[in-house]
């Protein structure tokens, strides 16, 4: 149902809106897919880089701590193998040695060891407890206090663990205030314990304790944490916590300090793994080295995703906005010809049959436009040939109706006058009345658009007979139309208007008599008619004015015909299209000549009797 509603809504769009809608419908998913791909790619790339960065941070931190522990291990080795110290530890007379208050400074290289401790800076305590009972070497830079003798040390649990390690190093954390190996401890320390054996590792010689400031580890951890919700924890190889910084998840700590994790080969452990809501990064460079673990909440990746989403999404929005004016331009280019075509159709529907739309392209729109132009021309031609031509032929009848003249009344009146003059013996006047009656019958005849040349000749003859009665000797005329064309068909009243124009405009005002000649002949497949006079003539401007006369003035000077010369030309155009010629030549004071050339028409005129046989009695 939703798709149908959308379809109905789209049906109300115009073509420009549909183009924009469908382009967005196609392009938007592609852009969204591309943006999504870029987002996923950027996220995976960023995630991979972040994993690599965190892994490198953990490895770097592991190496830094390993350097510190290696330095302490080297110092312990130096102490264990030093011959002077070894002589003290192997002495059979510990009581005598203990009497020397400067024993360790006079018999052992403690000055060198103190210089090393001072140079390192982070070593805070050093204790050497001989197993033979010789007074121990105790030094605390941070004011802490060691246990006074080996007997006290032997009571601690860490001492027993050191014995079990048989000379291997043990690392442990001693917090501020905790006793352990110290009688008093004033700083957090990372303490190294080691039992000193002979070369065969059979005889215990002494017990070595080195304490370093725990802040050294903490400072290194701070550089490895990027956000407050991240955490770093450092464990010994046995899983004992040495230091921590930030937010440490206890569940992860329990896992990495458990037997399952510790028993894995440190070289095969994954540096990165996921555990619950955290990404975990672990590193252990050496088998006996520390385990460095960084915990990063997965939610931090969401923050990174938000940061990397901004650019692609802004690019997507920008592309969609930039696409809008481009689509507006393209859709306007496509729809503009259609709009022009639509406007032309509306005007054509309103009756303007001269509409022609410029074809700008050869595509489907151009083909439709061209078809519309051809259709308009065809319809206009059809209308011109039928409807307009019929209207032109009815103009005289409409004007007669407008004038409210009843032809039957006119005929009856002329009939009465004719018989009255006949009864009075006035033959000349009777002939004039008869000629007038016949003229009216021809001119006012209904539905006779095409007539034979013979009838047009009779009309001209009767018209000139009437005008002869008016002008008397001032008008002479000659009608010379060949007999073999009298039965050819021509449009009604195409010669009479020119004859009338010659008399009304050509002869009026002339003192001498006027002569008018009408000829007609066949020439090849053409009918050639010529009307010539010796009247006052016309200038070129007057001839041009004939074709430009307004319709309201067209019949102002007509006497009988009611068809103006311009109307004759229009009817000839409708009837013969381009197959006729109407030529008017005239010179002032020299007369006018009109030549009409028509293609012989096969159309038969309406059946009509000879004018001479018509009776004027109704």
């Amino acid at each position: 149902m939703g798709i149908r509603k959308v379809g109905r809504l789209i049906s109300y769009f115009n073509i420009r809106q549909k183009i924009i809608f469908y382009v967005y419908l196609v392009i938007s998913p592609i852009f969204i897919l591309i943006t999504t791909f870029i987002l996923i790619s950027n996220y995976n790339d960023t995630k991979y880089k972040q994993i690599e960065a965190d892994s490198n941070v953990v490895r770097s931190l592991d190496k830094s701590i390993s350097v510190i522990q290696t330095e302490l291990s080297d110092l312990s080795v130096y102490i264990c193998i030093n011959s002077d110290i070894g002589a003290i530890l192997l002495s059979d007379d510990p009581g005598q040695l203990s009497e020397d208050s400067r024993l360790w400074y006079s018999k052992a290289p403690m000055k060198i060891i103190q210089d090393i401790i001072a140079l390192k800076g982070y070593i805070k305590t050093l204790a050497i407890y001989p197993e033979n009972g010789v007074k121990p070497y105790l030094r605390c830079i941070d004011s802490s206090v060691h246990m006074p003798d080996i007997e006290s040390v032997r009571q601690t649990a860490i001492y027993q663990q050191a014995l079990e390690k048989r000379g291997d190093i043990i690392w442990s954390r001693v917090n501020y205030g905790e006793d352990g190996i110290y009688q008093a401890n004033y700083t957090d320390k990372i303490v190294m314990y080691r039992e000193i054996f002979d070369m065969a590792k059979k005889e215990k010689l002494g017990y070595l304790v080195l304490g370093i400031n725990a802040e050294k580890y903490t400072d290194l951890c701070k550089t490895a944490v990027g956000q407050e919700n991240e955490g770093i924890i450092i464990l010994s190889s046995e899983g004992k916590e040495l230091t921590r910084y930030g937010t440490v998840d206890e569940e992860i700590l329990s896992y990495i300090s458990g037997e399952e994790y510790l028993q894995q080969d440190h070289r095969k452990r994954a540096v990165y793994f996921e555990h619950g809501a955290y990404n975990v990064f672990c590193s252990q460079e050496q088998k006996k080295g520390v385990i460095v673990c960084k915990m990063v909440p997965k939610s931090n990746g969401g923050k990174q995703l938000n940061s990397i989403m901004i650019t692609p999404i802004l690019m997507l929005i920008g592309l969609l906005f930039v696409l809008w004016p481009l689509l507006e331009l393209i859709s306007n280019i496509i729809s503009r010809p259609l709009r022009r075509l639509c406007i032309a159709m509306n005007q054509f529907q309103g009756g303007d049959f001269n509409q022609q739309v410029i074809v700008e392209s050869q595509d489907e729109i151009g083909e439709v436009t061209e078809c519309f132009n051809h259709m308009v021309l065809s319809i206009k031609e059809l209308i011109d040939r039928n409807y307009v031509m019929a209207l032109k032929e009815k103009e005289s009848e409409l004007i007669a109706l407008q004038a409210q003249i009843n032809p039957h009344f006119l005929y009856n009146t002329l009939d009465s006058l004719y018989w009255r003059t006949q009864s009075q013996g006035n033959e000349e006047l009777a002939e004039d009345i008869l000629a007038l009656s016949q003229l009216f019958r021809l001119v006012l005849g209904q539905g006779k658009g095409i007539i034979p040349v013979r009838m047009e000749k009779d009309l001209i003859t009767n018209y000139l007979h009437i005008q002869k009665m008016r002008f008397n000797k001032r008008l002479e005329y000659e009608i010379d139309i060949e007999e073999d064309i009298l039965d050819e068909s021509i449009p009604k009243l195409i010669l009479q208007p020119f004859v009338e124009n010659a008399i009304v405009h050509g002869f009026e005002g002339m003192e001498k008599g006027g002569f008018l000649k009408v000829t007609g002949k066949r020439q090849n497949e053409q009918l050639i008619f010529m009307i010539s006079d010796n009247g006052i003539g016309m200038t070129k401007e007057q001839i041009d004015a004939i074709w430009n006369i307004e319709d309201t003035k067209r019949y102002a000077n007509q006497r009988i015909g009611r068809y103006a010369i311009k109307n004759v030309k229009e009817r000839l155009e409708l009837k013969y299209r381009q197959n006729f010629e109407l030529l008017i030549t005239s010179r002032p004071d020299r007369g006018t000549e009109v030549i009409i050339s028509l293609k012989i028409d096969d159309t038969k005129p309406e059946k009509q009797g000879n004018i001479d046989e018509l009776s004027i009695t109704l």
Side-chain angles (χ1 to χ4, degrees):
M1 293 298 292
I3 296 177
R4 292 182 179 178
K5 289 182 179 179
V6 173
R8 285 196 298 269
L9 179 62
I10 295 173
S11 65
Y12 292 104
F13 290 178
N14 57 40
I15 188 67
R16 183 177 59 82
Q17 293 170 335
K18 286 182 179 178
I19 291 172
I20 295 175
F21 174 79
Y22 284 120
V23 170
Y24 268 115
L25 188 64
V26 174
I27 294 296
S28 296
I30 296 175
F31 280 175
I32 291 173
L33 286 175
I34 293 174
T35 303
T36 304
F37 174 78
I38 293 174
L39 283 174
I40 295 174
S41 178
N42 288 348
Y43 176 73
N44 291 334
D45 186 53
T46 302
K47 182 178 179 181
Y48 172 78
K49 289 180 179 179
Q50 188 61 45
I51 290 173
E52 283 295 311
D54 288 331
S55 299
N56 291 333
V57 165
V58 170
R59 292 191 188 99
S60 177
L61 179 58
D62 187 11
K63 289 179 180 179
S64 298
I65 294 176
S66 295
V67 169
I68 296 174
Q69 292 187 335
T70 300
E71 290 176 350
L72 265 68
S73 178
D74 292 343
L75 179 59
S76 70
V77 170
Y78 174 75
I79 294 174
C80 291
I81 66 174
N82 184 267
S83 58
D84 294 332
I85 296 176
I88 296 174
L89 298 179
L90 292 169
S91 175
D92 295 330
D93 191 4
Q96 184 180 356
L97 291 177
S98 298
E99 291 178 358
D100 185 1
S101 61
R102 293 189 59 80
L103 169 66
W104 290 97
Y105 292 98
S106 60
K107 301 292 184 179
M110 302 314 295
K111 180 64 176 174
I112 296 174
I113 293 174
Q114 288 179 0
D115 289 341
I116 293 173
I117 291 174
L119 183 63
K120 297 301 180 183
Y122 51 82
I123 301 176
K124 299 301 180 182
T125 64
L126 171 62
I128 303 173
Y129 294 94
E131 291 285 350
N132 58 8
V134 175
K135 182 176 64 175
Y137 174 80
L138 305 173
R139 181 173 178 80
C140 294
I141 299 175
D142 62 350
S143 301
S144 296
V145 180
H146 280 286
M147 288 185 175
D149 52 49
I150 189 63
E151 293 298 332
S152 301
V153 171
R154 287 172 181 162
Q155 304 302 316
T156 62
I158 195 68
Y159 175 79
Q160 298 302 322
Q161 295 175 15
L163 288 179
E164 293 174 2
K165 290 294 184 178
R166 304 296 294 176
D168 288 342
I169 296 173
I170 296 177
W171 294 92
S172 178
R173 181 183 178 91
V174 180
N175 292 321
Y176 174 83
E178 292 181 358
D179 295 336
I181 195 65
Y182 300 98
Q183 283 186 330
N185 179 33
Y186 297 114
T187 59
D188 294 335
K189 296 181 181 68
I190 308 297
V191 183
M192 184 196 78
Y193 306 93
R194 182 174 188 174
E195 183 69 26
I196 302 173
F197 286 85
D198 61 4
M199 298 300 294
K201 290 191 176 183
K202 292 182 179 181
E203 183 181 357
K204 299 182 294 181
L205 300 180
Y207 185 63
L208 177 62
V209 179
L210 276 169
I212 65 175
N213 191 348
E215 290 185 0
K216 180 65 177 178
Y217 279 28
T218 302
D219 291 340
L220 292 174
C221 292
K222 287 180 180 179
T223 61
V225 175
Q227 300 185 39
E228 292 181 358
N229 60 354
E230 298 177 357
I232 291 283
I233 189 165
I234 299 174
L235 306 177
S236 66
S237 58
E238 293 82 14
K240 294 180 180 179
E241 181 179 338
L242 300 181
T243 190
R244 70 167 64 190
Y245 181 79
T247 303
V248 175
D249 184 76
E250 296 300 327
E251 185 178 345
I252 297 175
L253 175 59
S254 175
Y255 170 71
I256 62 176
S257 61
E259 288 296 324
E260 180 185 353
Y261 184 81
L262 294 175
Q263 288 178 359
Q264 298 176 15
D265 188 342
H266 73 283
R267 294 168 297 183
K268 296 181 180 180
R269 289 196 196 115
V271 176
Y272 162 74
F273 62 90
E274 296 181 3
H275 191 286
Y278 287 86
N279 295 322
V280 183
F281 304 87
C282 292
S283 176
Q284 184 179 7
E285 290 287 332
Q286 302 173 4
K287 183 178 180 180
K288 301 294 183 179
V290 294
I291 300 173
V292 179
C293 180
K294 181 179 181 180
M295 305 171 193
V296 180
K298 292 180 179 179
S299 59
N300 288 7
K303 297 177 182 178
Q304 295 172 357
L305 178 62
N306 292 336
S307 63
I308 64 177
M309 282 177 59
I310 294 176
T311 300
I313 290 177
L314 289 178
M315 288 178 60
L316 172 63
I317 295 173
L319 284 173
L320 293 177
F321 271 106
V322 170
L323 190 61
W324 180 269
L326 183 62
L327 290 178
E328 283 280 353
L329 177 63
I330 294 174
S331 62
N332 187 56
I333 293 174
I334 296 175
S335 62
R336 185 172 60 245
L338 292 176
R339 287 199 301 270
R340 287 202 298 265
L341 182 60
C342 184
I343 293 172
M345 287 181 174
N346 290 333
Q347 293 179 346
F348 176 75
Q349 184 180 9
D352 185 355
F353 300 109
N354 294 315
Q355 286 298 314
Q356 289 290 294
V357 182
I358 299 174
V359 180
E360 296 181 344
S361 61
Q362 302 303 316
D363 55 12
E364 289 81 356
I365 297 177
E367 292 177 1
V368 171
T369 304
E370 198 166 330
C371 288
F372 171 76
N373 290 339
H374 287 310
M375 179 192 72
V376 171
L377 290 175
S378 299
I379 293 176
K380 183 177 184 298
E381 182 177 356
L382 181 64
I383 292 174
D384 287 346
R385 285 184 177 180
N386 296 278
Y387 181 69
V388 174
M389 188 172 182
L391 290 178
K392 295 292 183 181
E393 291 173 352
K394 296 297 181 179
E395 282 183 353
S396 60
E397 298 174 18
L398 291 175
I399 294 174
L401 291 174
Q402 291 172 355
Q404 297 181 348
I405 297 177
N406 190 329
H408 296 286
F409 172 76
L410 183 61
Y411 298 156
N412 291 337
T413 302
L414 293 175
D415 182 39
S416 299
L417 292 174
Y418 173 76
W419 289 109
R420 185 174 181 179
T421 53
Q422 279 284 79
S423 63
Q424 294 178 357
N426 193 342
E427 294 291 337
E428 183 179 357
L429 181 57
E431 291 298 322
D432 292 339
I433 294 174
L434 179 62
L436 180 60
S437 175
Q438 292 174 340
L439 176 63
F440 279 135
R441 285 183 180 277
L442 286 171
V443 174
L444 298 178
Q446 302 291 317
K448 302 177 182 64
I450 303 298
I451 61 174
V453 175
R454 184 186 311 280
M455 289 187 66
E456 187 75 9
K457 177 183 177 184
D458 291 342
L459 189 151
I460 296 171
T461 302
N462 289 313
Y463 176 77
L464 289 174
H465 181 90
I466 299 301
Q467 293 292 355
K468 177 69 174 175
M469 179 179 64
R470 174 187 175 191
F471 287 92
N472 199 359
K473 295 181 179 181
R474 291 174 54 201
L475 173 62
E476 298 293 336
Y477 62 88
E478 178 183 350
I479 299 176
D480 183 13
I481 299 178
E482 295 178 355
E483 289 292 331
D484 62 342
I485 68 170
L486 292 179
D487 293 325
E488 297 294 343
S489 301
I490 60 172
K492 177 182 178 182
L493 293 173
I494 63 169
L495 300 180
Q496 188 274 338
F498 295 102
V499 173
E500 182 176 356
N501 189 71
I503 296 173
V504 173
H505 298 289
F507 295 156
E508 283 187 350
M510 289 181 58
E511 295 181 358
K512 63 179 182 177
F515 178 74
L516 176 68
K517 184 175 182 179
V518 180
T519 64
K521 63 180 179 178
R522 183 194 304 271
Q523 183 174 317
N524 298 326
E525 295 300 319
Q526 300 284 326
L527 296 178
I528 308 298
F529 297 98
M530 184 173 67
I531 302 99
S532 60
D533 65 71
N534 63 346
I536 61 175
M538 294 182 289
T539 63
K540 183 178 182 304
E541 290 75 13
Q542 290 174 316
I543 296 175
D544 293 338
I546 293 175
W547 310 126
N548 299 322
I549 188 171
E550 298 179 10
D551 289 342
T552 56
K553 301 178 180 179
R554 183 178 295 185
Y555 304 106
N557 296 323
Q558 298 298 313
R559 296 297 190 270
I560 298 178
R562 298 184 305 281
Y563 283 94
I565 294 175
K566 182 178 180 181
N567 179 272
V568 173
K569 182 180 180 183
E570 290 174 351
R571 290 191 296 118
L572 291 177
E573 287 176 346
L574 292 173
K575 171 66 178 175
Y576 295 98
R577 311 301 294 172
Q578 305 299 325
N579 298 318
F580 81 97
E581 182 178 8
L582 174 57
L583 179 63
I584 300 177
T585 58
S586 180
R587 288 187 295 174
D589 299 326
R590 299 291 297 274
T592 301
E593 182 179 83
V594 178
I595 298 177
I596 301 175
S597 176
L598 306 176
K599 183 180 178 181
I600 295 178
D601 192 0
D602 294 334
T603 304
K604 296 302 181 182
E606 291 87 339
K607 185 176 180 180
Q608 183 168 325
N610 191 296
I611 192 66
D612 293 332
E613 299 174 356
L614 292 175
S615 171
I616 64 172
T617 303
L618 300 179

